[in-house]
Amino acid sequence: MRTIVRLSGLSVLLANVAVVLGILISEIYNLGGEVLPLSGQEGLHHLGQFAELLTIRELLWLAYPILLLPKGIALYMLFRDRAPALLWALILWCIGLTFGIAVDILTVAVVRDLGVIYLASEATTQSVIESFAPSIAHTILLMQFIGDNLGATFVYPFFAIVAYRAGFIGRPLVIVNVLSVICVCLGYRGLNLLFLGETDISNIFAIGFFGLIWWEVSIAIKLLKTRSLNSVMVST
């Protein structure tokens, strides 16, 4: 079990490296936010002009849920004897990440092809693309909302509380976990879905992503150091 737990910690670290690299690419090349520009000619032109970079970014973000999957399994293995109900958290975790992987695969396909096809098409075809592209955006936003809330809102706080009671993490990390999940999954995702795009208000809630990165990296380090449940020390 020790090897599995440590490998899961390494996987979580790599997942967050992928996320940070995706954020850096977005900032360096001014690609825009997470919500794809699928409304109007300007957005679709942007999608086509930066198709290669956007594809790289989305592939990095696709790696995140894939590499993150072992974390829930490792936490379940560590704490299942203390909290048998953790099995339900693990099930929701897997379902939520499956949604996340599905939506990220869809997103990669969209950024790789749709904008390029739009730029290469005649006016009639472009008009057709402009008419259905917002529906694709809405589908992606809805799937992100469902996946994140299934795999995080109903899971992360439970994982955090069980880990805290077992002496695996300290109270500050529990608080960061809960607040970050609320900000990202309910605030950011919810407002994006409501307004079909990022707004100034939803971007305020996006600060929760940095809290989640802190949570993931902290857990990864703890998993890498863990030999057995008896060796866990309370973090500060």
Side-chain angles (χ1 to χ4, degrees), residues 51-81:
E52 292 185 2
L53 288 170
L54 283 167
T55 300
I56 293 172
R57 184 189 76 174
E58 296 301 329
L59 282 171
L60 287 168
W61 287 349
L62 168 60
Y64 176 75
I66 295 173
L67 292 170
L68 205 63
L69 182 60
K71 186 192 76 172
I73 298 172
L75 291 176
Y76 172 73
M77 291 173 62
L78 284 174
F79 306 124
R80 58 187 174 184
D81 292 337

Side-chain angles (χ1 to χ4, degrees), residues 22-185:
I23 294 173
L24 290 176
I25 289 174
S26 290
E27 293 299 322
I28 293 172
Y29 296 101
N30 195 27
L31 299 181
E34 184 186 40
V35 178
L36 298 181
L38 296 178
S39 298
Q41 295 180 354
E42 183 178 352
L44 289 167
H45 271 283
H46 178 84
L47 195 68
Q49 290 170 353
F50 293 97
E52 292 185 2
L53 288 170
L54 283 167
T55 300
I56 293 172
R57 184 189 76 174
E58 296 301 329
L59 282 171
L60 287 168
W61 287 349
L62 168 60
Y64 176 75
I66 295 173
L67 292 170
L68 205 63
L69 182 60
K71 186 192 76 172
I73 298 172
L75 291 176
Y76 172 73
M77 291 173 62
L78 284 174
F79 306 124
R80 58 187 174 184
D81 292 337
R82 291 173 176 257
L86 203 59
L87 176 62
W88 293 105
L90 177 62
I91 292 172
L92 288 175
W93 169 260
C94 293
I95 293 173
L97 283 186
T98 300
F99 262 91
I101 292 169
V103 70
D104 285 347
I105 291 173
L106 172 61
T107 303
V108 169
V110 170
V111 300
R112 184 189 61 194
D113 298 327
L114 188 60
V116 174
I117 294 172
Y118 179 82
L119 292 181
S121 300
E122 299 179 350
T124 303
T125 304
Q126 287 183 342
S127 179
V128 173
I129 294 174
E130 290 169 10
S131 66
F132 71 73
S135 297
I136 297 176
H138 184 265
T139 300
I140 291 174
L141 291 172
L142 179 60
M143 290 179 68
Q144 287 176 334
F145 182 80
I146 294 173
D148 275 18
N149 279 285
L150 282 176
T153 304
F154 300 123
V155 174
Y156 270 26
F158 190 65
F159 274 149
I161 291 171
V162 171
Y164 170 71
R165 289 178 176 174
F168 193 69
I169 61 174
R171 184 176 298 175
L173 195 57
V174 177
I175 296 173
V176 168
N177 173 288
V178 174
L179 292 179
S180 298
V181 167
I182 292 173
C183 283
V184 172
C185 300

